[in-house]
Amino acid sequence: SWHELSYDVMVSSIRKTHTILKSVSGWGEPGDIVALIGSEGAGKTTLLNCLAGRKVQTHRMTGQILVNGFPKVQEVFASYMGYVEKIGAYTQYMTVKETVSYAAKMRLGKASTPENLSKFVEEILELLHLKHIENTLVISLADDISLDQENRLAISTELASNP
């Protein structure tokens, strides 16, 4: 949950601060999907960045963020959360499976054996219903698969970090 969250940015050209978020509160229950709906420039991405602790300067953020009822500790939080920043930022000449495998190898490194890594990638592909397109080149995704599948590929690369 988040309570009375505010975030200001400095606009250097006019030497004044601009409030992006002002006293925003909300919550999400485990297993729920929370939708952030608003017009362009309403602060949806800024709110997500504040909650995730990404791209924000904490001295410009006020309010309280709780995780499971306790104050969020960024170092701990980052180890068990995932953040899909940009859909479609992949190596175009890799297959779907190679993309997930590469992400897993980069994020898990030597912490996993090749056999366990392979099983883990298979589980992710199954979980996100990407198994049937695992050999499809990412460059052809725009023509061959739906936006939903492309979004699931983005999520799978973050799951590959085993958050």
Side-chain angles (χ1 to χ4, degrees):
S1 61
W2 56 99
H3 308 277
E4 300 293 319
L5 200 61
S6 295
Y7 187 70
D8 298 322
V9 295
M10 175 59 76
V11 181
S12 58
S13 62
I14 60 172
R15 297 184 186 186
K16 291 186 180 180
T17 60
H18 178 70
T19 301
I20 304 294
L21 300 175
K22 185 175 181 181
S23 299
V24 178
S25 298
W27 75 94
E29 296 291 331
D32 282 354
I33 294 175
V34 177
L36 299 177
I37 301 171
S39 61
E40 185 177 334
K44 300 176 297 291
T45 301
T46 301
L47 175 59
L48 287 174
N49 286 335
C50 287
L51 294 174
R54 296 175 57 108
K55 299 182 184 179
V56 294
Q57 296 177 359
T58 55
H59 66 276
R60 294 192 177 155
M61 184 172 61
T62 60
Q64 185 179 39
I65 300 173
L66 302 175
V67 178
N68 295 327
F70 297 96
K72 182 182 97 171
V73 176
Q74 185 60 35
E75 295 76 24
V76 175
F77 182 68
S79 68
Y80 62 86
M81 63 82 68
Y83 188 96
V84 180
E85 185 168 358
K86 184 174 181 179
I87 307 283
Y90 313 109
T91 303
Q92 297 179 353
Y93 296 102
M94 295 173 97
T95 66
V96 169
K97 184 175 184 175
E98 288 169 338
T99 301
V100 177
S101 295
Y102 178 75
K105 287 175 188 172
M106 293 301 291
R107 302 290 287 281
L108 300 176
K110 296 179 181 179
S112 185
T113 66
E115 297 79 26
N116 286 342
L117 197 69
S118 180
K119 288 179 188 176
F120 184 55
V121 168
E122 291 296 324
E123 287 177 18
I124 292 171
L125 293 172
E126 289 285 339
L127 176 69
L128 293 173
H129 306 286
L130 294 171
K131 191 82 175 125
H132 67 286
I133 60 165
E134 70 180 355
N135 295 316
T136 302
L137 287 175
V138 172
I139 195 169
S140 65
L141 292 180
D143 298 329
D144 295 342
I145 69 169
S146 68
L147 180 60
D148 176 61
Q149 290 169 322
E150 189 175 351
N151 290 343
R152 283 188 274 136
L153 175 60
I155 293 166
S156 71
T157 59
E158 190 58 37
L159 284 177
S161 70
N162 201 15

